[in-house]
Amino acid sequence: MPYYLKHHFDPDTGRRRLVPEKQADGSVDHFELNYVQNVEAGNVIAEWVEVDEEEAEKLDSRYLFEERKFPAGHGTGIKHRHPDRLYAAVNGWVGYSDGRIRVHEKLTIEKDVDYNTGNIDFIGNLTVRGCVRSGFHVGGRDVRIDGQIEGARVEALHSLSCRGGVKGSHEAFLESGKTMKLAFCENATLKAGEDVLVKGALMHSDVYAGRRLAVGGRLTGGRIVCHEYIYVGEQLGGGLDTSTRIILGYNPTLMYADEEYNARIRLLHDRIKTYEKQMSKGPDFREEFGPKLEAAIKELNLVKMLKVKLWEGIQGTECLDECKILVPGVVKPGVEISIGDAFLKVDDYFEDVYFYYENYEVKIGTSSKRLG
């Protein structure tokens, strides 16, 4: 009686053309092509099933065998209690390689992430040799992009690096649990649990750095929220015509959540105005939009309450005495600096200075007082 090797993954992935994922309404999502099949350590990835001759005729002949011997490769294993099951021994992607089932802890995409690959969400370490094109999403444990990041979303559980730099078109969102390293960055939102390191220029971007931000070139434009320390090598600010705002001393993750609350509050205010305008048109409109108005007002009050509680948490993360902004290069007028409740708007040109908190004020130190 033959044995059938039943797979808990698609054994032909990589051999057949990727097709868009079908949605519940019958449409297809061209961004989701299921490029990678993730498995976690302990998942069953294949098992032996005993079949009769009639059943065997209906099955794929490639996986019918007379004896049970798994084509097991690296990253797989068998448990003594269940000898007819093949398990993933590590987290990674599963597939056939040289005739054997393997689980790979690393994934390398040798081309751009675009409509040929779809979004890439990987459980392990990910390298993209090409670019990440606009509209696509990439995620992994440690993520390295050799090419450029366009208006895409890139998320790393630990570290994220991009050798080609970021041209975000005001759409890019990059997030890392720990450190983020970029060649340069334009028009993007960056969020890191620890440090953000930009070798070249950081321009017109919003940054939320859990510990420190270091920019080798120019930092111009955008809203920069950093918990402790900022270094800008060449130039801080772009002049009076460019809004560059820096906030230090509070947990940036909580500050980011506050921005999301603010966006929701603005949206709810707009909806309430729309509903009130519609209700003024007559009884039928009041009947239709009355419940919507009531729900929007209720949600608005809830969000405002959550925002108050959030700020109680934000103020608990205050670390003002440790905050510094060091600029060996030039500081241009117009830069706004907040350290806690203290505020300073730079109104002149400075060179080789640092900013710090003292006695409820943001003060300016010269090179003779520079910290080591």
Side-chain angles (χ1 to χ4, degrees):
M1 184 171 290
Y3 297 97
Y4 179 65
L5 183 59
K6 179 182 177 181
H7 298 86
H8 291 263
F9 65 96
D10 183 353
D12 289 321
T13 294
R15 301 175 194 170
R16 64 166 64 119
R17 180 177 176 271
L18 297 175
V19 295
E21 188 176 275
K22 192 171 183 179
Q23 305 299 297
D25 61 1
S27 63
V28 294
D29 187 345
H30 290 278
F31 290 89
E32 296 295 342
L33 303 184
N34 297 312
Y35 185 92
V36 60
Q37 298 180 86
N38 290 302
V39 292
E40 297 181 5
N43 286 166
V44 178
I45 53 179
E47 62 180 313
W48 291 111
V49 178
E50 189 173 352
V51 297
D52 57 32
E53 296 296 338
E54 184 178 345
E55 291 174 316
E57 292 180 1
K58 302 175 184 177
L59 299 172
D60 192 331
S61 61
R62 294 176 298 170
Y63 305 116
L64 289 169
F65 300 87
E66 293 300 323
E67 58 178 340
R68 293 173 292 183
K69 186 177 181 181
F70 284 112
H74 181 76
T76 67
I78 300 170
K79 297 180 181 180
H80 293 299
R81 289 177 298 172
H82 303 288
D84 288 343
R85 296 177 182 175
L86 184 66
Y87 293 86
V90 295
N91 294 341
W93 66 272
V94 60
Y96 272 91
S97 178
D98 298 325
R100 293 189 174 275
I101 301 173
R102 303 177 191 269
V103 178
H104 306 261
E105 295 180 89
K106 299 179 180 180
L107 174 65
T108 300
I109 309 296
E110 297 288 352
K111 51 189 175 181
D112 293 349
V113 173
D114 55 18
Y115 288 106
N116 293 307
T117 63
N119 296 329
I120 306 293
D121 288 294
F122 183 49
I123 197 172
N125 295 340
L126 171 66
T127 298
V128 178
R129 299 293 187 197
C131 301
V132 183
R133 299 300 183 186
S134 293
F136 288 88
H137 171 262
V138 165
R141 188 174 182 272
D142 291 327
V143 177
R144 175 181 138 183
I145 312 296
D146 288 345
Q148 198 168 89
I149 298 174
E150 297 179 352
R153 189 177 185 94
V154 181
E155 297 173 284
L157 186 63
H158 287 177
S159 66
L160 189 161
S161 66
C162 179
R163 298 176 63 184
V166 181
K167 286 194 173 182
S169 302
H170 301 287
E171 296 291 338
F173 178 85
L174 282 62
E175 183 174 9
S176 64
K178 293 185 177 180
T179 301
M180 185 181 301
K181 298 179 181 180
L182 310 173
F184 68 88
C185 181
E186 301 174 5
N187 303 310
T189 298
L190 313 179
K191 184 170 178 278
E194 294 182 359
D195 301 336
V196 176
L197 310 173
V198 182
K199 184 177 181 180
L202 175 62
M203 303 177 66
H204 309 293
S205 297
D206 292 340
V207 179
Y208 299 84
R211 292 181 60 202
R212 298 167 294 187
L213 167 67
V215 180
R218 293 174 294 158
L219 193 169
T220 60
R223 183 175 187 264
I224 312 298
V225 183
C226 187
H227 206 174
E228 299 175 9
Y229 178 84
I230 294 176
Y231 171 90
V232 182
E234 294 181 4
Q235 176 184 312
L236 174 60
L240 294 174
D241 294 334
T242 303
S243 175
T244 305
R245 186 181 178 194
I246 295 177
I247 301 169
L248 283 88
Y250 298 123
N251 184 301
T253 299
L254 299 181
M255 294 292 284
Y256 181 81
D258 182 62
E259 280 298 299
E260 291 187 313
Y261 281 150
N262 290 340
R264 188 63 184 173
I265 288 171
R266 288 193 295 270
L267 177 63
L268 288 168
H269 275 300
D270 290 342
R271 285 184 180 175
I272 289 170
K273 288 180 182 178
T274 299
Y275 297 153
E276 289 175 339
K277 185 177 180 180
Q278 292 295 323
M279 289 176 63
S280 66
K281 295 180 180 180
D284 292 341
F285 290 91
R286 286 196 292 272
E287 184 177 347
E288 178 182 355
F289 289 97
K292 293 180 180 180
L293 175 62
E294 184 179 347
I297 292 173
K298 185 177 180 180
E299 183 181 353
L300 178 62
N301 291 332
L302 175 61
V303 174
K304 286 181 176 179
M305 182 185 69
L306 292 173
K307 181 178 168 69
V308 170
K309 290 184 177 180
L310 177 66
W311 265 100
E312 292 174 358
I314 289 174
Q315 290 171 338
T317 67
E318 199 173 70
C319 63
L320 308 184
D321 293 335
E322 295 83 3
C323 294
K324 298 291 183 295
I325 304 171
L326 175 61
V327 188
V330 176
V331 181
K332 289 194 171 185
V335 175
E336 297 180 358
I337 298 173
S338 298
I339 303 179
D341 292 333
F343 175 79
L344 172 69
K345 184 168 184 177
V346 178
D347 59 3
D348 201 352
Y349 286 85
F350 293 94
E351 187 172 355
D352 200 5
V353 297
Y354 65 92
F355 301 87
Y356 63 102
Y357 177 86
E358 185 177 272
N359 295 328
Y360 307 100
E361 294 181 350
V362 177
K363 295 192 174 183
I364 305 173
T366 60
S367 59
S368 61
K369 291 179 62 180
R370 186 186 304 171
L371 301 181

